[in-house]
Amino acid sequence: MIRLPAFTYLAPTTVDGAARLMAEHGREAMLVAGGTDLYPNMKRRQFEPKVLVGLRGIPELRGIRGSAAGGFTIGAGTTLSAVAAHRDILRDFPALATAAGLVSSPQLRNMGTIGGNVCVDTRCNYYNQSYEWRKAIGFCMKKDGDICLVAPGSSRCWAVSSSDTAPVLWALGAKLRLVGAEGERTVPMAALYQDDGIDYLAKRPDEIVADLQLPPAEGWRSAYLKLRRRGSFDFPVLGVAVAARLEDDVVRDARIVLGAVASQPRPSEKAAAALVGQRVSPELIAHVADLAAGPAKPLDNTDFSHPYRKKVTRVFVARALAAVCGLGDSGVTSEEVA
Amino acid sequence: MTKNEFAVIGRPLPKVDAWAKVVGETKYADDLFLPRMAYAKLLRSAHAHARIRSIDTSRARALPGVVAVVTADDLPRVKFGILPVSQDEEALCADKVRMVGDPVAAVAAVDEETAEQACRLIEVDYEPLPALMSIFDSLAHPEVMIHEYGDGPNVHKNVALQFGDVEAALEGADLVREDVFFFEGNNHLPMEQHAAVAHWARDGKLTLWSSTQTPHYVHRVLAKVLDTPAAHIRVIATPVGGGFGGKTDPFAHEIVACQLSKLTGRPVKIALTREEVFYTHRGRHPVLMWIRTGFTREGDITGCHLRTWLDGGAYGSYGVASTFYTGVINPVTYKIPVYKFEGARIFTNKPPCGPKRGHGTVQPRFALECQLDKAAEQLGLDPADMRRRIVAEPFTKTANHLTVTTIGLGECIDKVVEASGWRDKRARFGVSARQAPRRSPKKRGLGIACSAYLTGAGTAIYWNDMPHSGVIVRADRSGGVAVLCGATDIGQGSDSILAYLTAEVLGIEPKDVHVHPADTSLTPVDLGSYSSRVTLMCGMAAIQAAERLRDAIFKAVARKLEVSPAALVARERKVGVPDDWDKAVPFARAVELGEALHGVLAFPGSYAPPKRAGKYKGGGVGPSPCYSYSACVVELTVDEDTGTVELENVWIGHDIGRALNPLLVEGQVEGSVYMGIGEALMEEQVFRKNLHKHPSMLDYKSPTTLETPDIHTILVETDDPEGPFGAKEAGQGPLLPVIPAIANAIHHALGIRIDEVPITPDKILKALDLKRAGKPARVGPERLPLFTFKEPLVVESAFGQPAEAVVSRPFASDDKR
Amino acid sequence: MKVRVALNVNGEFREALVPVHKTLLEVLREDLELTGTKHGCELGECGTCTVLVDGEPVLSCLALPIETAGRRITTVEGMAEGGQLHPLQQAFAELGAAQCGYCTPGILLTATALLARRPSPTRKDVKEALAGNLCRCTGYTKILDAVELAALRMGRQEART
């Protein structure tokens, strides 16, 4: 059996308390909520924290509050199952419910939290391996080594952002509230990330994602498409989140965010801008899909070949746009698009 | 006999071990916890190919909690391997490692965590050698020898057999097709990771509990490598949590657990991690194939020439047999008058390949069935009708001298064609049927393929004249009957089959039968749960033993009732004369009468297959008492924008001979279909930078409920004279046709050929791109190794000769009722 | 760091003094001798070690006892009530849904939670609920059949009472 390394477990009961503990223990400490990302990584010795600060016993982190008109606040400790099944989320932010419901497996969604998914470690198939495997290949810079095995010569790590919910939250214009030892701040999703496989989170280590705030849903439609080998278990090797506001068939606002194509969710601002003010048509969608897929540069460090992932990016963007714009391009099933 | 004459046979009964399994009481190897048990871990090589200069275990020994550390120096220097001709493995590598994952040292400690920590403290000084990671590498570098033995540098086995004049037959054909295929390797991925517990007791006797499919072979190997009399070793196969051929070899961890137990005086457990299971492997060989077949205008095969190159990995394992199996079973299915086969197994620095469900026959089946589909298309024939026409003749011999008995393949084809709506859907779906402009990117297709598989290997792994399977049946005064048999239940239901057959013969209920399996000290030898041999061989042995018991009981009851024994029947837990059933004696009473007359009622049954090996070197691989047949139709949808394949329905007709329990047969067929789907679409054991690319359950892709289509199983019964109550195998054969049927259905949907397994979405898009560019719409291997096969052994084709006498086998009862 | 954990397992209060980093899977099997809970990867990639915590299927290989203290844990050993098998256990045995039986405990518990939430599931519901439990033997067919049969029987039972 592959087992966890030893650690000390601290269980604060408030977010402030958790942030203080994180500040106190510094680099030795890590946060754990559902544990579904952290524990496998610890078993493979990708993480070796001496101290775990458990967030489960903090009531204020759990629950979904708000209304369609005023927006919703989702506690970061809310399980993915709860997000996926929440009546209001299903109605007003169906892409979020879809994304949460497509994370890994049913059991894992019962444990994993939306805060955890937003902060999920970047992945790479040279990195998500056992200690012995990584030692055999000579370790990589993300842990225990100093080179990048997928792009030798690179000065940065190319591990892939693998969150399903992050691109959707970004596309929906969500904000998140970070609570740190020094106080709290509310920032847009974009501010949480940076394009680096190691330091992919732009927050301070003591800062805790306390909740996710969704703006009023009015007029917005959204879709999320996920590419992976199987209908369960697998991380996204491409995620396409599209949100748009239409008046009749003219696009008034649009956001397109791609997941699993970089070390952070990647917005396609140029593509989204090309939609705004336009009347939707198959030609427009094809054009925008090209714009969105163009900059995506997947590397050969996840499942499926990277040229294939690139090819499908265009298809998925087009399909997600068609679904959101009500063009109903076939090929999209109801499960894939909300 | 017709079906309704049976009391137990043919009924969809629960398995005898089902109740323990649904309440969590079944004890698998890792569920055993013995007092004072130590936990061991293996330190495995981080190099694909390297010389071991030295191993320093001092830091590991010093770690508190460590009770023993061993290296090759602590074991007798004796190599082992499952086949007598390939004794090339070491429990702990002494001088050289040949793959990442090769065991080099082991630690026993008070707990697993400590053992693992200690392993990380062992320092091994390696001198790296060039790693040969493909057939091409290994053949290009004869100066880098992975092993010192074989049929050439890095060539484990080189075989060539020719039956009749193939060149002449091809010359006379209306169409000759030459195709090249590749089948990627894959793992069994049993849910249970291998585990073993060894206890070398103070009396000097060793007991090993292991999740093994072959306790008898493990027993022999332990005696050899531990330099201990076999008489003092007891191997107990615990219920196996999934085998599929992956637990059919003797393994390093079993040997090491025993030695550590000897050294520490404590029971020792080794439980492999999932990653280690991928290194232990013995999975499907990657095989490159070249196949040249001649056809007449009507679709008859005039002759076939097959070449296979197997990527064997670092050790022999079953590889010699695997090599033959890539060549010898194809002729069992169709009329192939002349046949030539050349095969070679090449060593590479990867985990050793071996027997996985369908052992060696799955890959050439893919090649043949895809080629038939291409030929049918070229000849303008319906692929189902063409196959129907060329089905082999029952009770004849094949070109390569295999004796075939019953064949239900024609009926299997008819039934899947009908059930699937083949004729209607073939016309409606498919790339050629569509003229309408593109509406949906999702294209539907329907494909067919067939197969055959052996019901037990006709020869044992080591040459001998003893039974392949033995059973002791002992009646108890309670009316209960104990069945002792070396067979291992790996989930296929061998314990249940033993109970059903014994109950049927004795006229009692399966619940009255107590099966004691797989304990080398108590049970007669059964060679193991491999080659689909168990139901037939143990079954025949059980029937013989039970009949002997029944005859003894009849003799006693006949005296009591003053009738002839021949007038008696056993049924409803009674023994009596059918016309005078009121006087029938309860079974328990009948046992008492029998015991009073004969003494203890314990009877053996023995089975060895008929000796029908072809009289040529290599003729020992392929013969089987009888062959099962399967036909499969797959209905699927392919998304031509993403290349994603969605399976909708699989219809599978399987010639089972007789379904001893239709529920269990269906389960075997459904499981085979499932495993075929995984191999066809996603499973692959591949390597990068000398390492297994994804040794995990997450990244080695195994289909979930969501990828598994509706499976429609149709059982065809042919009542084979060789099988127990007419039964043939079900556990492996139905896997074979699924993979080419999927490939053929994809071709039907899109007009592209993916001549390579797994058929992944990127290959589909690549083929579609080629098609759009006006190039041949095929993705598959482009080159073949430069390799000289040996001069073929030329033997006359035995095609069409009548089968040798059926039901003539060693140990058969003379007093057959 | 060893901690004393008080667990409510199958309705019994069980105490164990265990290292805090020992997973629920390990504690169930190695400290509480409940070996009915199996394991296939210990990384959350197969579903074999599924148990119920407050009625919800979770992966015991990724749960710490300290995080489940005070919550209701159900393992396969706790499914039968008194001498009576759970209808799912009965149906799995009858229909041959357990071949090697190794994934069976996890699947039974996942299905238990499904039927508690959705007493008359469609085939699609069952497939989705069990999408996190790998089985290599059955092709899932008999498993899906058995869950449906159990649902039917439980429905009838319900109707009667």
Side-chain angles (χ1 to χ4, degrees):
Chain A
M1 220 187 277
I2 179 165
R3 292 167 195 261
L4 285 168
F7 51 79
T8 301
Y9 191 97
L10 305 174
T13 52
T14 64
V15 185
D16 287 338
R20 277 198 304 276
L21 286 172
M22 286 300 289
E24 189 183 318
H25 292 278
R27 289 225 155 259
E28 302 235 296
M30 290 186 81
L31 293 164
V32 59
T36 55
D37 185 40
L38 185 91
Y39 293 144
N41 288 357
M42 286 178 69
K43 286 185 178 185
R44 292 184 295 242
R45 305 303 191 264
Q46 294 158 247
F47 301 148
E48 296 176 287
K50 296 280 176 288
V51 177
L52 285 187
V53 177
L55 300 176
R56 280 190 191 232
I58 304 177
E60 61 189 292
L61 284 178
R62 235 168 288 140
I64 299 174
R65 308 175 289 279
S67 66
F72 287 95
T73 298
I74 304 175
T78 310
T79 63
L80 292 160
S81 298
V83 173
H86 196 274
R87 243 173 244 277
D88 296 333
I89 301 293
L90 273 166
R91 188 191 58 229
D92 297 326
F93 301 100
L96 180 60
T98 301
L102 289 176
V103 173
S104 189
S105 69
Q107 287 92 322
L108 197 131
R109 294 193 293 274
N110 288 338
M111 309 172 78
T113 65
I114 190 160
N117 190 253
V118 160
C119 295
V120 74
D121 191 21
T122 54
R123 298 182 65 83
C124 171
N125 57 24
Y126 286 96
Y127 164 69
N128 295 100
Q129 302 281 2
S130 71
Y131 176 82
E132 273 70 26
W133 191 100
R134 289 185 292 114
K135 187 179 175 199
I137 206 163
F139 294 121
C140 76
M141 64 166 70
K142 190 160 159 71
K143 184 69 171 47
D144 302 315
D146 43 31
I147 55 160
C148 173
L149 292 163
V150 60
S154 166
S155 58
R156 60 160 284 199
C157 163
W158 291 93
V160 178
S161 171
S162 301
S163 170
D164 283 301
T165 56
V168 176
L169 288 163
W170 190 321
L172 292 172
K175 291 180 173 165
L176 39 83
R177 185 168 66 94
L178 294 167
V179 177
E182 322 260 284
E184 66 171 72
R185 56 185 178 126
T186 297
V187 298
M189 284 295 291
L192 183 63
Y193 301 107
Q194 54 198 21
D195 198 10
D196 180 282
I198 295 170
D199 291 316
Y200 63 98
L201 291 177
K203 69 177 187 68
R204 287 199 317 274
D206 64 284
E207 283 184 312
I208 294 160
V209 177
D211 46 47
L212 296 144
Q213 299 164 358
L214 291 162
E218 226 183 357
W220 285 85
R221 289 171 53 91
S222 60
Y224 178 67
L225 288 185
K226 172 174 185 170
L227 176 68
R228 57 173 163 181
R229 189 82 65 147
R230 302 175 292 181
S232 186
F233 289 111
D234 298 342
F235 282 90
V237 292
L238 168 68
V240 173
V242 171
R245 199 165 57 79
L246 279 81
E247 280 171 16
D248 297 323
D249 55 353
V250 176
V251 181
R252 291 301 170 200
D253 275 308
R255 293 188 207 101
I256 302 170
V257 183
L258 305 184
V261 296
S263 297
Q264 68 164 74
R266 170 162 283 174
S268 299
E269 277 141 8
K270 221 165 135 192
L275 277 172
V276 175
Q278 304 295 312
R279 201 167 291 277
V280 293
S281 67
E283 294 71 32
L284 176 69
I285 284 175
H287 171 62
V288 172
D290 283 337
L291 287 177
K297 282 194 190 62
L299 294 176
D300 189 14
N301 59 349
T302 70
D303 189 28
F304 286 130
S305 71
H306 53 295
Y308 171 74
R309 283 158 56 211
K310 170 102 181 173
K311 239 184 231 178
V312 176
T313 306
R314 204 204 149 276
V315 176
F316 270 26
V317 172
R319 286 184 181 179
L321 283 170
V324 166
C325 297
L327 278 197
D329 181 15
S330 41
V332 177
T333 67
S334 56
E335 293 135 65
E336 289 170 326
V337 167
Chain B
M1 263 198 261
T2 57
K3 206 169 200 166
N4 55 20
E5 288 176 49
F6 297 120
V8 178
I9 300 307
R11 281 168 58 196
L13 299 172
K15 294 204 300 174
V16 296
D17 54 0
W19 310 102
K21 283 177 173 172
V22 297
V23 297
E25 280 173 4
T26 304
K27 292 284 181 204
Y28 301 84
D30 193 31
D31 298 335
L32 302 177
F33 292 89
L34 302 185
R36 293 184 69 245
M37 189 169 80
Y39 297 77
K41 293 292 278 186
L42 294 165
L43 174 70
R44 293 175 180 273
S45 166
H47 292 268
H49 200 188
R51 229 167 266 297
I52 299 170
R53 285 205 200 98
S54 64
I55 303 177
D56 182 355
T57 60
S58 54
R59 286 174 68 212
R61 285 177 203 279
L63 187 73
V66 169
V67 293
V69 182
V70 289
T71 66
D73 290 342
D74 302 294
L75 279 159
R77 285 284 173 98
V78 182
K79 291 195 174 186
F80 68 95
I82 183 70
L83 298 189
V85 294
S86 307
Q87 300 287 300
D88 60 2
E89 298 187 51
E90 296 165 292
L92 296 171
C93 297
D95 305 315
K96 187 169 141 165
V97 293
R98 295 177 175 84
M99 58 177 224
V100 171
D102 244 348
V104 292
V107 177
V110 292
D111 55 38
E112 201 176 25
E113 207 176 329
T114 307
E116 186 180 326
Q117 275 173 23
C119 278
R120 289 182 183 153
L121 296 176
I122 297 172
E123 285 158 35
V124 186
D125 184 15
Y126 291 106
E127 176 194 337
L129 298 169
L132 306 175
M133 298 303 286
S134 71
I135 289 172
F136 294 95
D137 280 356
S138 294
L139 292 177
H141 294 283
E143 77 285 2
V144 182
M145 300 265 283
I146 295 173
H147 284 283
E148 302 295 321
Y149 81 105
D151 287 348
N154 299 322
V155 179
H156 179 213
K157 190 70 191 169
N158 183 346
V159 299
L161 297 166
Q162 185 179 326
F163 307 93
D165 189 343
V166 175
E167 282 311 309
L170 294 181
E171 249 164 57
D174 296 318
L175 168 70
V176 176
R177 279 208 64 95
E178 192 177 309
D179 292 288
V180 179
F181 297 91
F182 178 64
F183 201 112
E184 184 56 273
N186 52 55
N187 186 260
H188 319 79
L189 206 78
M191 295 311 298
E192 178 207 29
Q193 301 135 309
H194 308 44
V197 176
H199 185 206
W200 208 311
R202 295 296 172 170
D203 58 5
K205 292 187 185 177
L206 166 67
T207 304
L208 177 77
W209 293 264
S210 184
S211 48
T212 177
Q213 299 176 238
T214 50
H216 173 62
Y217 295 140
V218 172
H219 188 200
R220 286 168 57 85
V221 163
L222 290 181
K224 184 185 173 197
V225 298
L226 296 171
D227 198 14
T228 297
H232 300 162
I233 299 174
R234 177 182 187 187
V235 177
I236 299 171
T238 46
V240 175
F244 317 115
K247 296 168 180 169
T248 314
D249 287 53
F251 289 113
H253 68 274
E254 294 170 320
I255 298 163
V256 170
C258 293
Q259 187 69 1
L260 282 169
S261 179
K262 185 180 189 179
L263 294 173
T264 60
R266 307 165 66 141
V268 172
K269 178 191 278 186
I270 298 189
L272 302 188
T273 63
R274 178 55 58 185
E275 183 173 351
E276 288 179 289
V277 173
F278 282 103
Y279 299 145
T280 303
H281 196 44
R282 322 289 157 151
R284 185 87 66 225
H285 283 77
V287 183
L288 194 54
M289 292 163 284
W290 171 92
I291 179 168
R292 190 156 172 257
T293 308
F295 300 90
T296 66
R297 228 166 256 113
E298 295 75 29
D300 293 334
I301 294 173
T302 65
C304 178
H305 182 184
L306 172 71
R307 289 183 177 139
T308 64
W309 294 264
L310 294 80
D311 181 344
Y315 293 98
S317 183
Y318 284 81
V320 171
S322 317
T323 310
F324 277 102
Y325 277 131
T326 63
V328 298
I329 299 298
N330 272 357
V332 165
T333 321
Y334 303 116
K335 292 176 197 136
I336 303 179
V338 291
Y339 184 62
K340 183 175 177 183
F341 161 62
E342 294 163 297
R345 184 175 189 262
I346 313 300
F347 286 125
T348 52
N349 292 115
K350 298 187 282 194
C353 299
K356 183 184 173 189
R357 204 173 202 169
H359 189 190
T361 71
V362 177
Q363 302 94 326
R365 176 59 55 184
F366 171 67
L368 176 63
E369 296 293 326
C370 290
Q371 188 178 55
L372 287 182
D373 209 62
K374 296 179 189 194
E377 189 185 19
Q378 257 178 298
L379 294 168
L381 301 171
D382 176 271
D385 293 342
M386 177 176 155
R387 285 177 171 82
R388 184 73 176 83
R389 176 186 169 89
I390 60 174
V391 169
E393 280 293 319
F395 296 99
T396 62
K397 287 192 189 182
T398 65
N400 57 333
H401 298 233
L402 301 181
T403 295
V404 176
T405 55
T406 56
I407 300 180
L409 181 56
E411 197 180 338
C412 290
I413 296 173
D414 293 344
K415 292 206 159 153
V416 292
V417 161
E418 193 191 328
S420 64
W422 171 264
R423 303 207 185 276
D424 167 53
K425 287 176 184 166
R426 277 291 283 196
R428 276 196 298 122
F429 303 170
V431 66
S432 54
R434 278 188 297 267
Q435 279 103 40
R438 175 197 155 109
R439 286 204 321 274
S440 162
K442 300 210 170 178
K443 307 297 190 220
R444 301 177 86 183
L446 208 64
I448 191 169
C450 303
S451 67
Y453 197 70
L454 49 159
T455 307
T459 46
I461 276 167
Y462 62 99
W463 191 252
N464 71 83
D465 287 323
M466 293 177 282
H468 287 214
S469 195
V471 166
I472 292 172
V473 170
R474 184 188 66 84
D476 186 88
R477 292 176 198 179
S478 67
V481 171
V483 173
L484 282 65
C485 176
T488 306
D489 202 314
I490 59 173
Q492 87 281 40
S494 59
D495 288 1
S496 302
I497 295 296
L498 287 166
Y500 302 152
L501 294 177
T502 306
E504 180 68 48
V505 172
L506 296 174
I508 56 179
E509 287 294 313
K511 195 176 182 180
D512 305 335
V513 180
H514 314 292
V515 178
H516 300 272
D519 179 334
T520 59
S521 288
L522 298 179
T523 57
V525 164
D526 173 76
L527 293 178
S529 290
Y530 65 92
S531 88
S532 276
R533 50 179 298 289
V534 175
T535 291
L536 187 139
M537 299 199 195
C538 294
M540 295 301 281
I543 290 171
Q544 186 182 57
E547 284 178 347
R548 285 172 175 165
L549 169 62
R550 186 183 61 188
D551 290 351
I553 289 173
F554 277 10
K555 206 167 162 189
V557 173
R559 274 194 196 185
K560 166 89 177 165
L561 298 182
E562 298 175 334
V563 296
S564 153
L568 293 171
V569 297
R571 64 175 198 227
E572 298 155 15
R573 290 186 173 128
K574 285 179 186 167
V575 175
V577 179
D579 295 338
D580 198 7
W581 198 243
D582 287 349
K583 287 198 189 133
V585 179
F587 185 75
R589 176 68 189 138
V591 170
E592 288 181 347
L593 293 170
E595 205 171 319
L597 180 65
H598 304 285
V600 171
L601 295 178
F603 294 89
S606 302
Y607 178 84
K611 298 203 172 203
R612 296 196 289 229
K615 310 265 181 297
Y616 59 88
K617 193 167 186 294
V621 186
S624 175
C626 53
Y627 300 86
S628 78
Y629 290 84
S630 312
C632 177
V633 169
V634 166
E635 180 179 0
L636 51 72
T637 300
V638 198
D639 184 323
E640 63 181 357
D641 290 343
T642 63
T644 312
V645 175
E646 194 180 323
L647 295 181
E648 288 168 21
N649 288 287
V650 174
W651 292 268
I652 183 142
H654 183 68
D655 166 15
I656 180 62
R658 181 186 303 282
L660 299 179
N661 177 338
L663 204 60
L664 300 199
V665 176
E666 283 168 19
Q668 287 304 301
V669 174
E670 288 155 4
S672 295
V673 169
Y674 164 82
M675 203 161 268
I677 291 168
E679 296 192 27
L681 297 178
M682 56 184 80
E683 295 183 37
E684 51 182 341
Q685 170 130 325
V686 289
F687 296 79
R688 180 180 60 183
K689 296 184 200 266
N690 301 350
L691 276 109
H692 194 301
K693 193 172 173 188
H694 42 229
S696 71
M697 296 287 257
L698 180 62
D699 292 322
Y700 178 94
K701 304 298 181 187
S702 172
T704 73
T705 52
L706 302 176
E707 286 72 48
T708 307
D710 289 339
I711 301 167
H712 314 274
T713 304
I714 302 160
L715 299 181
V716 167
E717 297 196 321
T718 45
D719 194 8
D720 196 280
E722 292 286 353
F725 295 103
K728 307 199 239 185
E729 76 90 37
Q732 306 193 64
L735 181 150
L736 278 76
V738 177
I739 301 163
I742 289 173
N744 294 340
I746 289 170
H747 174 259
H748 185 233
L750 296 177
I752 57 169
R753 290 286 176 191
I754 313 296
D755 290 341
E756 189 179 294
V757 162
I759 302 170
T760 52
D762 50 341
K763 291 176 191 168
I764 289 172
L765 290 194
K766 198 172 151 197
L768 284 169
D769 284 347
L770 289 168
K771 190 180 170 194
R772 284 185 203 109
K775 295 178 186 155
R778 170 191 180 266
V779 169
E782 305 285 346
R783 63 176 178 145
L784 294 172
L786 287 172
F787 181 81
T788 313
F789 289 100
K790 67 193 223 187
E791 268 302 301
L793 178 67
V794 180
V795 184
E796 223 169 280
S797 168
F799 176 73
Q801 292 176 13
E804 276 168 31
V806 166
V807 198
S808 148
R809 64 180 86 89
F811 311 111
S813 303
D814 307 328
D815 52 343
K816 185 113 183 74
R817 294 169 61 92
Chain C
M1 176 182 172
K2 277 203 177 185
V3 287
R4 183 166 295 283
V5 286
L7 298 172
N8 172 355
V9 185
N10 301 329
E12 293 174 23
F13 280 91
R14 304 284 300 269
E15 284 205 332
L17 183 67
V18 295
V20 70
H21 63 276
K22 205 165 178 186
T23 60
L24 181 60
L25 168 71
E26 293 157 39
V27 171
L28 288 172
R29 288 177 51 81
E30 295 166 6
D31 296 276
L32 305 183
E33 296 175 340
L34 292 168
T35 53
T37 304
K38 308 299 179 199
H39 57 99
C41 72
E42 305 97 64
L43 295 168
E45 302 172 351
C46 74
T48 305
C49 68
T50 300
V51 300
L52 300 183
V53 175
D54 289 341
E56 286 298 318
V58 304
L59 302 166
S60 62
C61 73
L62 300 183
L64 296 185
I66 198 173
E67 293 166 340
T68 45
R71 302 172 72 188
R72 263 183 316 116
I73 298 164
T74 311
T75 70
V76 69
E77 289 93 341
M79 279 183 72
E81 278 183 31
Q84 197 67 38
L85 290 183
H86 188 286
L88 277 163
Q89 293 173 310
Q90 185 73 27
F92 269 57
E94 285 178 21
L95 294 194
Q99 283 189 26
C100 84
Y102 199 79
C103 70
T104 306
I107 290 186
L108 284 169
L109 291 162
T110 308
T112 302
L114 169 71
L115 297 188
R117 192 174 73 238
R118 194 160 300 183
S120 308
T122 62
R123 190 112 175 151
K124 186 160 169 281
D125 292 337
V126 183
K127 278 190 166 191
E128 282 174 2
L130 296 181
N133 295 80
L134 289 180
C135 166
R136 291 287 288 176
C137 290
T138 61
Y140 305 107
T141 308
K142 298 269 182 272
I143 291 172
L144 303 178
D145 290 347
V147 175
E148 288 175 350
L149 176 63
L152 202 69
R153 286 177 177 169
M154 288 165 78
R156 283 202 204 118
Q157 195 93 20
E158 198 84 339
R160 245 180 273 132
T161 51

